[in-house]
Amino acid sequence: MSNVPKEAIEVVAQSIGITNLSPDVALALAPDVEYRVREIMQEAIKCMRHSRRTVLTADDVDSALNLRNVEPIYGFTSRDPLRFKRAAGHKDLFYIDDKDVEFKEVIEAPLPRAPLDTLVTSHWLAIEGVQPAIPENASVEAPSDGKKADYKEDGLSADVKLPVKHVLSRELQLYFDKIVELTVNRSVSDVFKQALLSLAIDSGLHPLVPYFTYFIADEVARNLNNFPLMFALMRVARSLLKNEHIHIEPYLHQLMPSIITCLVAKRLGNKFTDNHWGLRNFTAKLVASICKRFGHVYHNLQPRVTRTLLHAFLDPTKTLPQHFGAIRGLAALGPSVVRLLILPNLEVYLQLLEPEMLPVKQKNEIKRHEAWCVYGALLRAAGLCMYDRLKMFPGLLGPPTRPVWKSSRKVVTTNKRKASTDNLMQQPPVKKIASDSAIGMMPINSMQVDMQGAVGGFSTTIGGSNIGASSISRQRTNDNISGREVGGRVLRTSTVLAQAWKEDTDAGNLLASLFELFGESMLSFTPKPELSFFL
Amino acid sequence: MENMQAVNSFVAAYLKKKGFKEAEQLLEDLQNKESAPIDFHNDPELAKFIHHFSQSEDDVARYQYGYSKLRSWTYGSLDLYKHELLRVLYPVFIHSFMDLVAKGHLQEARTFFNAFREDHELMHSRDLQKLEGVLSQSHLEEMEFARSLRQSKVNIKICQYSYDLLLQYLHKTQSTAMLGVINEHINFQVSSGQPTSISDDAEVVTLIGSCQDAANQINQKEIHWGLLEDSLEERLEKAGGLLSDSEKTEGENKEGDVDETKKRSVEGGKQGASTKKLKKDKAINATAKSARPEANTTSTAPRVKPELTLPIMPTEVEQSILEDLRNRVHLSSVALPSVSFYTFLNTHNGLNCSSISHDGSLVAGGFSDSSLKVWDMAKLGQQAGSSTLQGEIDSASSEHVVGPNGGKRSYTLFKGHSGPVYSATFSPLGDFILSSAADTTIRLWSTKLNANLVCYKGHNYPVWDVQFSPVGHYFASASHDRTARIWSMDRIQPLRIMAGHLSDVDCVQWHANCNYVATGSSDKTVRLWDVQSGECVRIFIGHRSMILSLAMSPDGRYMASGDEDGTIMMWDLSSGRCITPLMGHTSCVWTLTFSCEGSLLASGSADCTVKLWDVTTSTKVPRNEEKSGNPNRLRSLKTLPTKSTPVYSLQFSRRNLLFGAGVLSKNM
């Protein structure tokens, strides 16, 4: 009558050594055993549920036995559910395949791999209710119940996308053809200027953007020798970038290579008269404006551009026009880029450049001209950078320093005059450089002396600012202002500029080193104190 | 006359057998006098009954016969009244079975049971499994379920006509066995008019026995389901009302940004698992801002005073919560939440529970090896960049596990329990964790100090569940010892003990206003308790299996409960009625949670899905429509299947980002 037959009870009784079990007892015990087993299983199921599982394990039964204060059954502990096998020839008889294990085998077996430690990973199961198709999510399967069927249909219609035909209106096609024609053939006409203006302000050009992008990239790649066309193309690019109605970001990656090409290409145009310097200048500004505008959207835009340019700049095998382009490009990206990337390499680079600039060593006049152009670009970049630094510290250029600047301007003018005579007389520039450096060296030497005095003067009062102060004092040594006076001046300004001392010292050092390299011409980039009155 | 004689002799024999001495004497006297015939002789029907009774006194087969006749009659009855009559069958069935067992006819009882159990398998499978084990009178005595069934009467609502039909049938067929069972165990509540609809038969599903009346009585009690006075939400609304709309959004933008950066710098990106998430959160906020103005659902809820002394919140915490509330995404049926899912790997079937802190930055797992492990997802986001793909996990983690001591673990291990950890809960601010285990204790851990602070002993059996109150400081626990207890962090003794459930208390949940606690039990009921008095104020009857999860709506009006079969029920706290069952899951509903403004319900189940339910449509249905009985008012909005990962816990962050956690189980 019960699932536990009385024979089972008898077998168990025998196994524990009770031989004289009366059949009545077995009969009475059988249903009770079944009841107890059911009771234990009911508790075990509770434990299973609270372990958040849907498969009963031996652990659960042990916990259930624990609940009843019964000794657990040992020997079955396994985290995994037991694997039952069907007995051959019986429909619903199952057993656990429990093999005999040799003790020796167990001992001699190599240690199993340590189990992996528990991990937690995170992923998006849904973003605003939509499941992203990532490996962590289950593949979309057919929902089972009818209510979800309509969702499924929705999902399907969203998934299957028909190829979209890009329809371009007749007017836009005409417009595009016209612009292309103007760019290629009539890039110096007034009409082209009007066209550029139209590109820069007209709304509704967005459908044409991919075509223009392709056009520019294609033409640049094919016509590096055609200087007017290149210039025209860059102007078109600039106009497109200027246009606020155009969402050009997705096409930037196609546009950038062409633009960078126009900046650092080996040759632009095929005639000597082609003003490729101008084109490079123009493109440098364009690159800078792109970086400024889209830098925050594409974090790697400016670093990539900078890296490309820096490579061009530092590669000695590249031609000088390429270097020129790179320097202009970097300079256009701002003074901080110049300070970080150009200035550290400046000294070495100038050493390489110097022979190119000398008629003695470089006979080719065009090459020499190129070298001077590069020199000019470097000077400009460094100077602007320094100007930017010095501008931040108007206190440096306060009234007491005025005599310094006046005198140094005097020096500059003389120098200029000298330079002009140099040029007139076609004197080798090496001499000029030599004289420049002589002028440059002189104050530095005297500075060394005076710095001691300056340090002695106020080192006790402003601990960390010695260098800055000394650099300033160095500038003043030209006029033989005593270190103590300067010290007093600095002491006063120091309270105001306490925060900026670090920067200040940098600026001071910068000026010093640039002065060493470029000589007096550098000073023309320092802000004029007179001007600062009007600011 | 001969017939009379026979009757007389039988009656005499019966009285003698039953030991009714006086009655026997009286009968003898009467017979001797022969003066007046006893009235039952005049009543042929009664005589027939007694006659019938005498014939089949020992005939156990009449139960089976009578029941099968009743069954076939019921199935053949008119469609309109059929479902009402069908309800009668189940109590008759189980009581007939128990009668048979009680009379010692075990073999017959078993045959009877097996013959008809299929009829009731669908509705009452779990009860039947329990009853199946009843094999002797002593079991009937011992088993609480059976005893409560035997002692009590089942209430069945039935319309007048069905009742008449049933009586007529019983009289006609003279099936006294059935009549006896029905009279003894069923209490008909006859109502005039039309038969009730099928959907309203919730009560008959669960035969909790003893306390049907008591339950009705309890459910009469008044409860104050409103939100707390001066809650943060309320303050926010007030503040929002003062500002003009444009100013408000502007302010939000600014403060939001400041908040974001501040969080990032101060807490090291604690808000989300990675900066990517932060951004996402922000983006969602931006889109949802426009939709917010009409989200004033909570303002209609009445306010109540707290009955507990509430802990005081530090102002900076309050500020950050207010900030979160301001930046909350408004969710609805058209604006579904984003779900960030934490998957546990390599748990070796050892994870019993998981819990996610309110900001989603901490995840705790309770293991069957007595350990509690806490992962800081912000840190995980930094280091686990390489092991995001599941394929790489093996190599990545083998580096991790250099040794239990030396290797760097990705989690904080809390050791202290001496039995499987069954539940863990984070305090609202995320600075404490409570865990409950089979060793009958609850332990309080500090996530700041990474140490055990307090061990709360009080329960006598495994503690299945522990939950922090919405304000922190207080917590509730549920245990196998059939009690739920209320504790406060500073006392090692429970403050209240809630006793009343007939079986294990499996889950516990606080009401939004902290004045009530709901408990779900293996006795298939959910009860609501007054925290102050410790009284049971509501009993919710309707589930057909053990309750596994509970959730309270943020407006305090509704409660959702999920059971072993995958059914979720929405309850109206004030009426104690089930609004509607939510069908959809095919296995245990492990976790339920309402979105912060109460418009969505998210459920996680062992069937490896997260389901999102639209709750607003259901709860706003006017009264009359509710009567007309459309059973599927609550809509399932979306089913999000996971990759063979049963969902153990779900948590909406204060900004309405949904976090989920589960274990990747390969042998599903």
Side-chain angles (χ1 to χ4, degrees), chain A residues 36 46 49-50 121 123 126 135, chain B residues 142 339 341 343 504 506 564:
Chain A
R36 298 299 159 196
K46 274 181 197 165
R49 293 296 183 217
H50 285 288
T121 60
H123 72 272
Chain B
E142 203 172 316
V339 189
F341 202 84
T343 313
D504 302 38
D506 293 300
E564 229 178 335

Side-chain angles (χ1 to χ4, degrees), chain B residues 339-465:
Chain B
V339 189
S340 173
F341 202 84
Y342 299 140
T343 313
F344 287 85
L345 303 158
N346 310 324
T347 57
H348 312 288
N349 271 340
L351 187 76
N352 286 350
C353 63
S354 74
S355 179
I356 304 166
S357 66
H358 286 255
D359 60 357
S361 64
L362 295 174
V363 184
F367 289 79
S368 57
D369 62 0
S370 318
S371 64
L372 178 74
K373 297 173 184 173
V374 177
W375 281 262
D376 189 332
M377 297 314 287
K379 281 180 197 159
L380 198 84
Q382 290 159 16
Q383 65 167 38
S386 61
S387 63
T388 42
L389 281 178
Q390 294 191 357
E392 292 174 30
I393 280 154
D394 281 20
S395 59
S397 53
S398 57
E399 289 162 15
H400 263 268
V401 193
V402 180
N405 313 317
K408 50 165 187 174
R409 283 202 210 95
S410 56
Y411 52 83
T412 320
L413 179 64
F414 292 108
K415 274 184 179 168
H417 281 295
S418 58
V421 179
Y422 286 123
S423 172
T425 175
F426 280 95
S427 71
L429 308 180
D431 41 1
F432 297 109
I433 309 177
L434 280 168
S435 62
S436 70
D439 60 5
T440 75
T441 62
I442 302 160
R443 280 176 190 267
L444 178 74
W445 313 83
S446 164
T447 53
K448 300 274 185 293
L449 305 170
N450 289 341
N452 187 201
L453 303 179
V454 194
C455 176
Y456 301 95
K457 293 175 183 168
H459 283 292
N460 303 321
Y461 278 102
V463 188
W464 296 135
D465 195 13

Side-chain angles (χ1 to χ4, degrees), chain B residues 202-437:
Chain B
E203 279 113 71
V204 82
V205 170
T206 333
L207 294 164
I208 52 147
S210 63
C211 49
Q212 193 66 55
D213 290 330
N216 285 341
Q217 219 161 43
I218 285 168
N219 286 353
Q220 298 302 315
K221 285 179 192 166
E222 187 187 8
I223 71 161
H224 306 279
W225 51 266
L227 294 179
L228 285 183
E229 283 176 336
D230 200 30
S231 68
L232 282 172
E233 280 89 348
E234 197 184 27
R235 259 185 263 172
L236 180 73
E237 262 163 42
K238 271 182 197 161
L242 292 177
L243 293 165
S244 78
D245 253 4
S246 61
E247 274 173 1
K248 193 179 164 190
T249 44
E250 237 179 63
E252 272 169 14
N253 278 331
K254 274 183 206 154
E255 283 163 349
D257 288 349
V258 170
D259 184 46
E260 290 284 348
T261 49
K262 194 174 69 188
K263 269 223 175 90
R264 230 177 274 176
S265 58
V266 175
E267 299 176 28
K270 213 177 176 185
Q271 170 71 18
S274 62
T275 47
K276 184 183 83 179
K277 269 174 204 167
L278 276 175
K279 257 203 199 132
K280 189 70 217 170
D281 228 359
K282 210 168 153 187
I284 298 166
N285 290 338
T287 54
K289 255 167 205 160
S290 55
R292 192 162 317 111
E294 60 261 24
N296 291 327
T297 47
T298 47
S299 57
T300 52
R303 302 287 158 176
V304 294
K305 283 201 165 57
E307 289 174 8
L308 300 169
T309 36
L310 300 178
I312 295 155
M313 215 181 275
T315 39
E316 66 267 21
V317 173
E318 195 174 292
Q319 282 305 318
S320 86
I321 292 176
L322 278 174
E323 209 53 67
D324 282 342
L325 293 181
R326 252 180 236 133
N327 290 316
R328 177 187 288 170
V329 183
H330 179 239
L331 298 177
S332 67
S333 51
V334 287
L336 296 176
S338 296
V339 189
S340 173
F341 202 84
Y342 299 140
T343 313
F344 287 85
L345 303 158
N346 310 324
T347 57
H348 312 288
N349 271 340
L351 187 76
N352 286 350
C353 63
S354 74
S355 179
I356 304 166
S357 66
H358 286 255
D359 60 357
S361 64
L362 295 174
V363 184
F367 289 79
S368 57
D369 62 0
S370 318
S371 64
L372 178 74
K373 297 173 184 173
V374 177
W375 281 262
D376 189 332
M377 297 314 287
K379 281 180 197 159
L380 198 84
Q382 290 159 16
Q383 65 167 38
S386 61
S387 63
T388 42
L389 281 178
Q390 294 191 357
E392 292 174 30
I393 280 154
D394 281 20
S395 59
S397 53
S398 57
E399 289 162 15
H400 263 268
V401 193
V402 180
N405 313 317
K408 50 165 187 174
R409 283 202 210 95
S410 56
Y411 52 83
T412 320
L413 179 64
F414 292 108
K415 274 184 179 168
H417 281 295
S418 58
V421 179
Y422 286 123
S423 172
T425 175
F426 280 95
S427 71
L429 308 180
D431 41 1
F432 297 109
I433 309 177
L434 280 168
S435 62
S436 70

Side-chain angles (χ1 to χ4, degrees), chain A residues 359 365 368 419-429:
Chain A
E365 203 178 329
R368 210 162 63 229
S420 56
T421 50
D422 282 354
N423 287 343
L424 280 172
M425 293 165 74
Q426 290 291 315
Q427 262 183 6

Side-chain angles (χ1 to χ4, degrees), chain A residues 37-85:
Chain A
V37 169
R38 282 175 182 278
E39 204 178 12
I40 294 294
M41 292 324 283
Q42 187 188 315
E43 298 300 313
I45 288 170
K46 274 181 197 165
C47 291
M48 170 185 84
R49 293 296 183 217
H50 285 288
S51 301
R52 303 270 194 279
R53 271 184 278 109
T54 45
V55 182
L56 199 68
T57 65
D59 274 355
D60 295 324
V61 181
D62 283 350
S63 319
L65 289 168
N66 252 333
L67 283 180
R68 299 268 145 177
N69 273 332
V70 182
E71 192 88 338
I73 303 167
Y74 298 105
F76 295 97
T77 13
S78 160
R79 287 283 164 76
D80 298 314
L82 299 172
R83 287 173 198 286
F84 287 92
K85 285 193 169 179

